Amino acid sequence: MFNSVTHSAIFVLDQDEAIEFYVGKLGLEVRSDVDLGFMRWLTIGVPGDAREILIEKAAPPAVSEEAAGQVRDLLTKGALGLGFILSTDDCRKTYEELSAKGVEFSQQPTEQPYGTDCAIRDPFGNHIRIGEPPAVEGEITAEVMKRWEEENG
């Protein structure tokens, strides 16, 4: 039925500031930047990967004016959930490189059964995870679940 997921989207407050963060700090690339008249179609992606992320202002036509205000409020509170997950071959090295660029982390690299991962928030509040797959996937044990429960309240 479907062939792939080609695009996903996140809301931002300022698309130019988003380019500075995603391209300037994270190293992603702009794929499309087109003024459609009714909106700016701005997509970014990881170099070498076909998937694109639409960087969309929380404004019409994506959402109504009324909803846009609510979305912006939730966005700045970091309450919109996971934006996306970036994959890396070395999570700790990526953490060090991005920290040196001033990227703010909400979670330091942590060993998990599914690999090593860490988390950042973009300047608008979007939650983004960075993950390194494990050589061998681990088991989700009672100890792991207890740790997750303690970390996440």
Short mmCIF file of all heavy atoms in Angstrom, two decimals, residues 49-119:
data_model
loop_
_atom_site.label_atom_id
_atom_site.label_comp_id
_atom_site.label_asym_id
_atom_site.label_seq_id
_atom_site.Cartn_x
_atom_site.Cartn_y
_atom_site.Cartn_z
N ASP A 49 20.06 11.36 3.61
CA ASP A 49 18.81 10.68 3.95
C ASP A 49 17.66 11.33 3.17
O ASP A 49 17.60 12.55 3.07
CB ASP A 49 18.54 10.77 5.46
CG ASP A 49 17.31 9.99 5.87
OD1 ASP A 49 17.27 8.77 5.64
OD2 ASP A 49 16.39 10.62 6.42
N ALA A 50 16.78 10.52 2.62
CA ALA A 50 15.71 11.05 1.77
C ALA A 50 14.58 11.72 2.54
O ALA A 50 13.85 12.55 2.00
CB ALA A 50 15.13 9.93 0.91
N ARG A 51 14.38 11.37 3.81
CA ARG A 51 13.26 11.93 4.56
C ARG A 51 13.44 13.41 4.83
O ARG A 51 14.56 13.86 5.06
CB ARG A 51 13.07 11.18 5.88
CG ARG A 51 12.43 9.83 5.66
CD ARG A 51 12.48 9.06 6.90
NE ARG A 51 13.85 8.52 6.92
CZ ARG A 51 14.24 7.52 7.66
NH1 ARG A 51 13.44 6.98 8.51
NH2 ARG A 51 15.47 7.07 7.58
N GLU A 52 12.33 14.12 4.83
CA GLU A 52 12.36 15.56 5.08
C GLU A 52 11.45 15.91 6.25
O GLU A 52 10.45 15.24 6.49
CB GLU A 52 11.91 16.33 3.83
CG GLU A 52 12.83 16.12 2.64
CD GLU A 52 12.43 16.93 1.43
OE1 GLU A 52 11.97 18.08 1.59
OE2 GLU A 52 12.58 16.40 0.32
N ILE A 53 11.82 16.97 6.91
CA ILE A 53 11.03 17.47 8.03
C ILE A 53 10.53 18.86 7.64
O ILE A 53 11.34 19.74 7.36
CB ILE A 53 11.87 17.54 9.32
CG1 ILE A 53 12.43 16.16 9.65
CG2 ILE A 53 11.03 18.10 10.47
CD1 ILE A 53 13.59 16.20 10.62
N LEU A 54 9.22 19.03 7.61
CA LEU A 54 8.63 20.33 7.33
C LEU A 54 8.73 21.19 8.58
O LEU A 54 8.28 20.79 9.66
CB LEU A 54 7.17 20.17 6.91
CG LEU A 54 6.38 21.45 6.69
CD1 LEU A 54 6.96 22.27 5.53
CD2 LEU A 54 4.90 21.13 6.45
N ILE A 55 9.36 22.33 8.43
CA ILE A 55 9.50 23.28 9.54
C ILE A 55 8.42 24.32 9.32
O ILE A 55 8.53 25.20 8.48
CB ILE A 55 10.90 23.94 9.52
CG1 ILE A 55 12.00 22.88 9.58
CG2 ILE A 55 11.03 24.95 10.64
CD1 ILE A 55 12.00 22.05 10.85
N GLU A 56 7.37 24.20 10.09
CA GLU A 56 6.15 24.94 9.83
C GLU A 56 5.83 25.90 10.97
O GLU A 56 5.94 25.54 12.15
CB GLU A 56 5.02 23.92 9.67
CG GLU A 56 3.73 24.44 9.20
CD GLU A 56 2.77 23.31 8.85
OE1 GLU A 56 2.93 22.18 9.37
OE2 GLU A 56 1.85 23.56 8.06
N LYS A 57 5.45 27.12 10.62
CA LYS A 57 5.00 28.05 11.66
C LYS A 57 3.63 27.60 12.16
O LYS A 57 2.80 27.14 11.38
CB LYS A 57 4.91 29.46 11.09
CG LYS A 57 6.27 30.10 10.88
CD LYS A 57 6.16 31.53 10.44
CE LYS A 57 5.72 32.38 11.62
NZ LYS A 57 5.80 33.82 11.32
N ALA A 58 3.43 27.77 13.44
CA ALA A 58 2.12 27.46 14.02
C ALA A 58 1.20 28.61 13.67
O ALA A 58 1.04 29.58 14.43
CB ALA A 58 2.25 27.29 15.53
N ALA A 59 0.63 28.54 12.48
CA ALA A 59 -0.23 29.61 11.96
C ALA A 59 -1.08 29.03 10.84
O ALA A 59 -0.78 27.94 10.33
CB ALA A 59 0.66 30.74 11.42
N PRO A 60 -2.12 29.75 10.44
CA PRO A 60 -2.89 29.29 9.29
C PRO A 60 -1.99 29.20 8.04
O PRO A 60 -1.04 29.98 7.95
CB PRO A 60 -3.96 30.37 9.11
CG PRO A 60 -4.07 31.02 10.46
CD PRO A 60 -2.68 30.95 11.02
N PRO A 61 -2.18 28.31 7.12
CA PRO A 61 -3.32 27.40 6.99
C PRO A 61 -3.17 26.08 7.74
O PRO A 61 -4.09 25.28 7.72
CB PRO A 61 -3.37 27.16 5.48
CG PRO A 61 -1.94 27.18 5.07
CD PRO A 61 -1.30 28.24 5.94
N ALA A 62 -2.02 25.86 8.38
CA ALA A 62 -1.82 24.59 9.08
C ALA A 62 -2.85 24.41 10.20
O ALA A 62 -3.37 23.32 10.41
CB ALA A 62 -0.41 24.51 9.65
N VAL A 63 -3.10 25.48 10.91
CA VAL A 63 -4.07 25.47 12.01
C VAL A 63 -4.81 26.80 11.99
O VAL A 63 -4.32 27.79 11.43
CB VAL A 63 -3.39 25.26 13.38
CG1 VAL A 63 -2.81 23.87 13.51
CG2 VAL A 63 -2.31 26.30 13.62
N SER A 64 -5.97 26.84 12.59
CA SER A 64 -6.73 28.10 12.66
C SER A 64 -5.99 29.10 13.54
O SER A 64 -5.11 28.72 14.31
CB SER A 64 -8.13 27.84 13.23
OG SER A 64 -8.01 27.49 14.61
N GLU A 65 -6.34 30.39 13.41
CA GLU A 65 -5.72 31.41 14.27
C GLU A 65 -5.90 31.07 15.74
O GLU A 65 -4.97 31.20 16.53
CB GLU A 65 -6.31 32.80 13.99
CG GLU A 65 -5.65 33.56 12.90
CD GLU A 65 -4.18 33.88 13.14
OE1 GLU A 65 -3.69 33.91 14.28
OE2 GLU A 65 -3.49 34.08 12.12
N GLU A 66 -7.10 30.63 16.09
CA GLU A 66 -7.38 30.29 17.48
C GLU A 66 -6.49 29.13 17.93
O GLU A 66 -5.88 29.19 18.98
CB GLU A 66 -8.85 29.91 17.65
CG GLU A 66 -9.21 29.55 19.08
CD GLU A 66 -10.67 29.12 19.20
OE1 GLU A 66 -11.43 29.28 18.25
OE2 GLU A 66 -11.01 28.62 20.28
N ALA A 67 -6.42 28.09 17.12
CA ALA A 67 -5.60 26.93 17.48
C ALA A 67 -4.11 27.27 17.46
O ALA A 67 -3.33 26.72 18.23
CB ALA A 67 -5.89 25.76 16.55
N ALA A 68 -3.71 28.20 16.57
CA ALA A 68 -2.30 28.57 16.47
C ALA A 68 -1.77 29.09 17.81
O ALA A 68 -0.67 28.75 18.22
CB ALA A 68 -2.10 29.59 15.37
N GLY A 69 -2.57 29.91 18.47
CA GLY A 69 -2.16 30.42 19.77
C GLY A 69 -1.99 29.30 20.79
O GLY A 69 -1.05 29.31 21.59
N GLN A 70 -2.88 28.35 20.74
CA GLN A 70 -2.79 27.21 21.67
C GLN A 70 -1.57 26.35 21.35
O GLN A 70 -0.87 25.90 22.25
CB GLN A 70 -4.07 26.38 21.59
CG GLN A 70 -5.29 27.14 22.06
CD GLN A 70 -6.60 26.44 21.71
OE1 GLN A 70 -6.68 25.69 20.75
NE2 GLN A 70 -7.63 26.71 22.51
N VAL A 71 -1.32 26.15 20.05
CA VAL A 71 -0.16 25.35 19.65
C VAL A 71 1.13 26.05 20.09
O VAL A 71 2.04 25.41 20.63
CB VAL A 71 -0.15 25.10 18.13
CG1 VAL A 71 1.17 24.49 17.67
CG2 VAL A 71 -1.31 24.20 17.73
N ARG A 72 1.21 27.36 19.86
CA ARG A 72 2.41 28.10 20.26
C ARG A 72 2.62 28.01 21.77
O ARG A 72 3.74 27.85 22.24
CB ARG A 72 2.32 29.56 19.81
CG ARG A 72 2.49 29.74 18.31
CD ARG A 72 2.62 31.21 17.93
NE ARG A 72 1.40 31.95 18.12
CZ ARG A 72 0.47 32.15 17.18
NH1 ARG A 72 0.65 31.66 15.97
NH2 ARG A 72 -0.62 32.84 17.44
N ASP A 73 1.55 28.07 22.52
CA ASP A 73 1.65 27.96 23.98
C ASP A 73 2.18 26.58 24.38
O ASP A 73 3.08 26.48 25.21
CB ASP A 73 0.27 28.23 24.61
CG ASP A 73 0.32 28.28 26.12
OD1 ASP A 73 1.22 28.96 26.67
OD2 ASP A 73 -0.55 27.65 26.75
N LEU A 74 1.62 25.54 23.79
CA LEU A 74 2.07 24.18 24.11
C LEU A 74 3.51 23.96 23.65
O LEU A 74 4.30 23.32 24.34
CB LEU A 74 1.15 23.14 23.47
CG LEU A 74 -0.26 23.05 24.06
CD1 LEU A 74 -1.13 22.15 23.19
CD2 LEU A 74 -0.20 22.54 25.49
N LEU A 75 3.85 24.50 22.48
CA LEU A 75 5.20 24.36 21.94
C LEU A 75 6.23 24.94 22.90
O LEU A 75 7.21 24.29 23.25
CB LEU A 75 5.28 25.03 20.57
CG LEU A 75 6.65 25.09 19.90
CD1 LEU A 75 7.18 23.70 19.62
CD2 LEU A 75 6.55 25.89 18.59
N THR A 76 6.01 26.17 23.34
CA THR A 76 6.99 26.82 24.22
C THR A 76 7.08 26.16 25.59
O THR A 76 8.07 26.31 26.29
CB THR A 76 6.68 28.32 24.39
OG1 THR A 76 5.35 28.47 24.88
CG2 THR A 76 6.83 29.05 23.07
N LYS A 77 6.05 25.40 25.95
CA LYS A 77 6.09 24.64 27.21
C LYS A 77 6.73 23.27 27.01
O LYS A 77 6.87 22.50 27.96
CB LYS A 77 4.67 24.45 27.75
CG LYS A 77 4.04 25.74 28.24
CD LYS A 77 2.62 25.51 28.70
CE LYS A 77 2.02 26.83 29.19
NZ LYS A 77 0.59 26.70 29.49
N GLY A 78 7.08 22.94 25.76
CA GLY A 78 7.66 21.63 25.48
C GLY A 78 6.64 20.52 25.60
O GLY A 78 7.00 19.37 25.88
N ALA A 79 5.39 20.84 25.36
CA ALA A 79 4.31 19.87 25.59
C ALA A 79 3.76 19.24 24.32
O ALA A 79 2.71 18.62 24.36
CB ALA A 79 3.18 20.56 26.36
N LEU A 80 4.45 19.38 23.19
CA LEU A 80 3.94 18.80 21.96
C LEU A 80 4.46 17.39 21.70
O LEU A 80 4.16 16.80 20.68
CB LEU A 80 4.27 19.70 20.76
CG LEU A 80 3.50 21.01 20.71
CD1 LEU A 80 3.84 21.78 19.44
CD2 LEU A 80 2.00 20.77 20.78
N GLY A 81 5.25 16.87 22.62
CA GLY A 81 5.72 15.49 22.45
C GLY A 81 6.96 15.40 21.58
O GLY A 81 7.59 16.40 21.25
N LEU A 82 7.28 14.19 21.22
CA LEU A 82 8.49 13.93 20.44
C LEU A 82 8.36 14.49 19.03
O LEU A 82 7.38 14.21 18.32
CB LEU A 82 8.74 12.41 20.38
CG LEU A 82 9.94 11.96 19.57
CD1 LEU A 82 11.25 12.45 20.19
CD2 LEU A 82 9.96 10.45 19.46
N GLY A 83 9.36 15.27 18.61
CA GLY A 83 9.38 15.79 17.25
C GLY A 83 9.89 14.73 16.29
O GLY A 83 9.23 14.37 15.33
N PHE A 84 11.09 14.23 16.55
CA PHE A 84 11.69 13.17 15.75
C PHE A 84 12.93 12.65 16.46
O PHE A 84 13.37 13.21 17.46
CB PHE A 84 12.01 13.64 14.32
CG PHE A 84 12.84 14.89 14.25
CD1 PHE A 84 14.23 14.82 14.26
CD2 PHE A 84 12.24 16.13 14.16
CE1 PHE A 84 15.00 15.96 14.19
CE2 PHE A 84 13.01 17.29 14.09
CZ PHE A 84 14.39 17.20 14.10
N ILE A 85 13.48 11.58 15.91
CA ILE A 85 14.69 10.97 16.47
C ILE A 85 15.76 10.98 15.39
O ILE A 85 15.53 10.53 14.27
CB ILE A 85 14.42 9.52 16.93
CG1 ILE A 85 13.33 9.50 17.99
CG2 ILE A 85 15.71 8.88 17.45
CD1 ILE A 85 12.86 8.10 18.37
N LEU A 86 16.93 11.50 15.73
CA LEU A 86 18.07 11.48 14.84
C LEU A 86 18.95 10.30 15.21
O LEU A 86 19.16 10.02 16.40
CB LEU A 86 18.87 12.78 14.96
CG LEU A 86 18.14 14.04 14.50
CD1 LEU A 86 18.89 15.29 14.97
CD2 LEU A 86 18.00 14.04 12.99
N SER A 87 19.49 9.63 14.23
CA SER A 87 20.36 8.48 14.46
C SER A 87 21.81 8.90 14.27
O SER A 87 22.14 9.70 13.39
CB SER A 87 20.00 7.36 13.48
OG SER A 87 20.86 6.27 13.66
N THR A 88 22.69 8.35 15.09
CA THR A 88 24.11 8.62 15.00
C THR A 88 24.90 7.34 15.27
O THR A 88 24.39 6.42 15.91
CB THR A 88 24.52 9.72 16.01
OG1 THR A 88 25.92 9.99 15.88
CG2 THR A 88 24.22 9.31 17.43
N ASP A 89 26.13 7.30 14.79
CA ASP A 89 26.99 6.15 15.07
C ASP A 89 27.67 6.27 16.42
O ASP A 89 28.18 5.28 16.94
CB ASP A 89 28.07 6.00 13.98
CG ASP A 89 27.47 5.63 12.64
OD1 ASP A 89 26.41 4.95 12.62
OD2 ASP A 89 28.05 6.02 11.61
N ASP A 90 27.73 7.50 16.98
CA ASP A 90 28.42 7.71 18.25
C ASP A 90 27.68 8.81 19.03
O ASP A 90 27.94 10.00 18.84
CB ASP A 90 29.88 8.10 18.00
CG ASP A 90 30.71 8.13 19.27
OD1 ASP A 90 30.14 8.35 20.37
OD2 ASP A 90 31.93 7.94 19.16
N CYS A 91 26.79 8.39 19.90
CA CYS A 91 25.94 9.34 20.64
C CYS A 91 26.77 10.24 21.55
O CYS A 91 26.51 11.44 21.63
CB CYS A 91 24.90 8.56 21.46
SG CYS A 91 23.67 9.59 22.24
N ARG A 92 27.76 9.67 22.21
CA ARG A 92 28.56 10.48 23.16
C ARG A 92 29.39 11.54 22.42
O ARG A 92 29.50 12.68 22.87
CB ARG A 92 29.43 9.58 24.01
CG ARG A 92 28.60 8.72 24.95
CD ARG A 92 29.43 7.88 25.90
NE ARG A 92 28.58 6.97 26.63
CZ ARG A 92 27.74 7.31 27.61
NH1 ARG A 92 27.67 8.56 28.00
NH2 ARG A 92 26.99 6.40 28.21
N LYS A 93 29.96 11.18 21.30
CA LYS A 93 30.72 12.15 20.50
C LYS A 93 29.80 13.24 19.97
O LYS A 93 30.15 14.42 20.01
CB LYS A 93 31.41 11.43 19.34
CG LYS A 93 32.25 12.34 18.48
CD LYS A 93 32.92 11.55 17.36
CE LYS A 93 33.68 12.49 16.42
NZ LYS A 93 34.22 11.77 15.27
N THR A 94 28.63 12.86 19.50
CA THR A 94 27.65 13.84 19.02
C THR A 94 27.25 14.78 20.14
O THR A 94 27.15 16.00 19.96
CB THR A 94 26.42 13.12 18.44
OG1 THR A 94 26.83 12.29 17.35
CG2 THR A 94 25.37 14.11 17.95
N TYR A 95 27.04 14.21 21.32
CA TYR A 95 26.70 15.02 22.50
C TYR A 95 27.80 16.07 22.77
O TYR A 95 27.51 17.25 22.98
CB TYR A 95 26.51 14.11 23.72
CG TYR A 95 26.38 14.82 25.02
CD1 TYR A 95 25.17 15.35 25.43
CD2 TYR A 95 27.49 14.97 25.87
CE1 TYR A 95 25.05 16.01 26.63
CE2 TYR A 95 27.38 15.62 27.08
CZ TYR A 95 26.16 16.14 27.46
OH TYR A 95 26.05 16.80 28.66
N GLU A 96 29.05 15.63 22.74
CA GLU A 96 30.16 16.55 23.01
C GLU A 96 30.24 17.64 21.94
O GLU A 96 30.43 18.82 22.26
CB GLU A 96 31.49 15.77 23.08
CG GLU A 96 31.58 14.80 24.25
CD GLU A 96 31.47 15.48 25.60
OE1 GLU A 96 31.89 16.65 25.75
OE2 GLU A 96 30.93 14.84 26.54
N GLU A 97 30.10 17.25 20.67
CA GLU A 97 30.18 18.23 19.58
C GLU A 97 29.05 19.25 19.65
O GLU A 97 29.27 20.45 19.47
CB GLU A 97 30.16 17.51 18.23
CG GLU A 97 31.43 16.71 17.96
CD GLU A 97 31.35 15.87 16.70
OE1 GLU A 97 30.28 15.82 16.04
OE2 GLU A 97 32.37 15.24 16.36
N LEU A 98 27.84 18.78 19.91
CA LEU A 98 26.70 19.70 19.95
C LEU A 98 26.74 20.57 21.22
O LEU A 98 26.37 21.74 21.17
CB LEU A 98 25.38 18.94 19.85
CG LEU A 98 25.15 18.23 18.52
CD1 LEU A 98 23.81 17.48 18.54
CD2 LEU A 98 25.19 19.21 17.35
N SER A 99 27.20 19.99 22.32
CA SER A 99 27.34 20.79 23.55
C SER A 99 28.31 21.95 23.32
O SER A 99 28.08 23.07 23.78
CB SER A 99 27.84 19.92 24.70
OG SER A 99 26.86 18.98 25.07
N ALA A 100 29.40 21.67 22.59
CA ALA A 100 30.39 22.71 22.30
C ALA A 100 29.80 23.82 21.43
O ALA A 100 30.28 24.96 21.46
CB ALA A 100 31.61 22.09 21.62
N LYS A 101 28.75 23.51 20.68
CA LYS A 101 28.07 24.51 19.84
C LYS A 101 26.96 25.23 20.59
O LYS A 101 26.25 26.04 20.01
CB LYS A 101 27.48 23.84 18.60
CG LYS A 101 28.52 23.33 17.63
CD LYS A 101 27.83 22.70 16.43
CE LYS A 101 28.82 22.21 15.41
NZ LYS A 101 28.14 21.60 14.23
N GLY A 102 26.79 24.89 21.86
CA GLY A 102 25.78 25.57 22.66
C GLY A 102 24.40 24.93 22.63
O GLY A 102 23.44 25.53 23.09
N VAL A 103 24.29 23.72 22.07
CA VAL A 103 23.00 23.04 22.06
C VAL A 103 22.66 22.60 23.48
O VAL A 103 23.51 22.04 24.18
CB VAL A 103 23.03 21.82 21.11
CG1 VAL A 103 21.73 21.02 21.22
CG2 VAL A 103 23.26 22.29 19.67
N GLU A 104 21.44 22.88 23.89
CA GLU A 104 21.00 22.56 25.25
C GLU A 104 20.40 21.15 25.29
O GLU A 104 19.48 20.85 24.53
CB GLU A 104 19.96 23.57 25.71
CG GLU A 104 19.49 23.36 27.12
CD GLU A 104 18.47 24.41 27.54
OE1 GLU A 104 18.56 25.56 27.06
OE2 GLU A 104 17.58 24.07 28.33
N PHE A 105 20.93 20.32 26.16
CA PHE A 105 20.44 18.95 26.28
C PHE A 105 19.50 18.83 27.47
O PHE A 105 19.77 19.37 28.55
CB PHE A 105 21.62 17.98 26.47
CG PHE A 105 22.31 17.68 25.17
CD1 PHE A 105 23.21 18.59 24.62
CD2 PHE A 105 22.05 16.52 24.48
CE1 PHE A 105 23.83 18.34 23.41
CE2 PHE A 105 22.66 16.25 23.27
CZ PHE A 105 23.55 17.16 22.73
N SER A 106 18.43 18.09 27.27
CA SER A 106 17.51 17.81 28.37
C SER A 106 17.82 16.44 28.98
O SER A 106 17.30 16.12 30.05
CB SER A 106 16.06 17.87 27.90
OG SER A 106 15.85 17.01 26.81
N GLN A 107 18.64 15.67 28.32
CA GLN A 107 19.10 14.38 28.86
C GLN A 107 20.47 14.07 28.28
O GLN A 107 20.68 14.15 27.08
CB GLN A 107 18.15 13.24 28.49
CG GLN A 107 18.61 11.89 29.02
CD GLN A 107 17.79 10.75 28.44
OE1 GLN A 107 16.59 10.85 28.25
NE2 GLN A 107 18.47 9.65 28.12
N GLN A 108 21.41 13.73 29.15
CA GLN A 108 22.74 13.34 28.70
C GLN A 108 22.69 11.93 28.12
O GLN A 108 21.74 11.19 28.36
CB GLN A 108 23.70 13.38 29.89
CG GLN A 108 23.89 14.79 30.43
CD GLN A 108 24.93 14.84 31.52
OE1 GLN A 108 25.46 13.83 31.96
NE2 GLN A 108 25.25 16.05 31.96
N PRO A 109 23.73 11.54 27.36
CA PRO A 109 23.75 10.17 26.81
C PRO A 109 23.55 9.13 27.90
O PRO A 109 24.20 9.19 28.95
CB PRO A 109 25.13 10.07 26.17
CG PRO A 109 25.49 11.47 25.83
CD PRO A 109 24.90 12.30 26.95
N THR A 110 22.65 8.22 27.65
CA THR A 110 22.29 7.19 28.62
C THR A 110 22.21 5.85 27.90
O THR A 110 21.63 5.74 26.82
CB THR A 110 20.91 7.52 29.24
OG1 THR A 110 20.95 8.83 29.82
CG2 THR A 110 20.54 6.52 30.31
N GLU A 111 22.80 4.83 28.53
CA GLU A 111 22.72 3.47 27.98
C GLU A 111 21.31 2.93 28.21
O GLU A 111 20.80 2.98 29.32
CB GLU A 111 23.74 2.55 28.66
CG GLU A 111 25.18 3.03 28.56
CD GLU A 111 25.68 3.12 27.13
OE1 GLU A 111 25.29 2.28 26.29
OE2 GLU A 111 26.45 4.06 26.85
N GLN A 112 20.71 2.47 27.14
CA GLN A 112 19.37 1.89 27.20
C GLN A 112 19.41 0.52 26.52
O GLN A 112 20.35 0.23 25.77
CB GLN A 112 18.36 2.79 26.44
CG GLN A 112 18.33 4.22 26.90
CD GLN A 112 17.62 4.41 28.23
OE1 GLN A 112 17.16 3.46 28.86
NE2 GLN A 112 17.52 5.65 28.68
N PRO A 113 18.42 -0.32 26.72
CA PRO A 113 18.41 -1.62 26.02
C PRO A 113 18.39 -1.45 24.49
O PRO A 113 18.89 -2.30 23.76
CB PRO A 113 17.10 -2.26 26.50
CG PRO A 113 16.81 -1.61 27.80
CD PRO A 113 17.32 -0.21 27.68
N TYR A 114 17.86 -0.34 24.03
CA TYR A 114 17.76 -0.09 22.59
C TYR A 114 18.93 0.75 22.06
O TYR A 114 18.92 1.17 20.90
CB TYR A 114 16.44 0.61 22.26
CG TYR A 114 16.16 1.82 23.11
CD1 TYR A 114 16.71 3.05 22.82
CD2 TYR A 114 15.33 1.71 24.24
CE1 TYR A 114 16.47 4.16 23.61
CE2 TYR A 114 15.07 2.83 25.03
CZ TYR A 114 15.63 4.04 24.72
OH TYR A 114 15.38 5.13 25.50
N GLY A 115 19.94 0.99 22.88
CA GLY A 115 21.10 1.75 22.44
C GLY A 115 21.43 2.87 23.40
O GLY A 115 20.96 2.90 24.53
N THR A 116 22.23 3.79 22.95
CA THR A 116 22.57 4.96 23.75
C THR A 116 21.80 6.14 23.17
O THR A 116 21.80 6.34 21.96
CB THR A 116 24.09 5.25 23.67
OG1 THR A 116 24.80 4.08 24.06
CG2 THR A 116 24.47 6.41 24.56
N ASP A 117 21.15 6.89 24.05
CA ASP A 117 20.44 8.04 23.53
C ASP A 117 20.51 9.21 24.47
O ASP A 117 20.88 9.08 25.64
CB ASP A 117 19.00 7.70 23.14
CG ASP A 117 18.01 7.68 24.29
OD1 ASP A 117 18.43 7.52 25.45
OD2 ASP A 117 16.81 7.83 24.02
N CYS A 118 20.22 10.38 23.92
CA CYS A 118 20.16 11.61 24.69
C CYS A 118 19.05 12.46 24.08
O CYS A 118 18.44 12.06 23.09
CB CYS A 118 21.51 12.34 24.65
SG CYS A 118 22.12 12.76 23.03
N ALA A 119 18.77 13.59 24.70
CA ALA A 119 17.65 14.40 24.23
C ALA A 119 17.99 15.88 24.28
O ALA A 119 18.72 16.34 25.17
CB ALA A 119 16.42 14.12 25.09
#
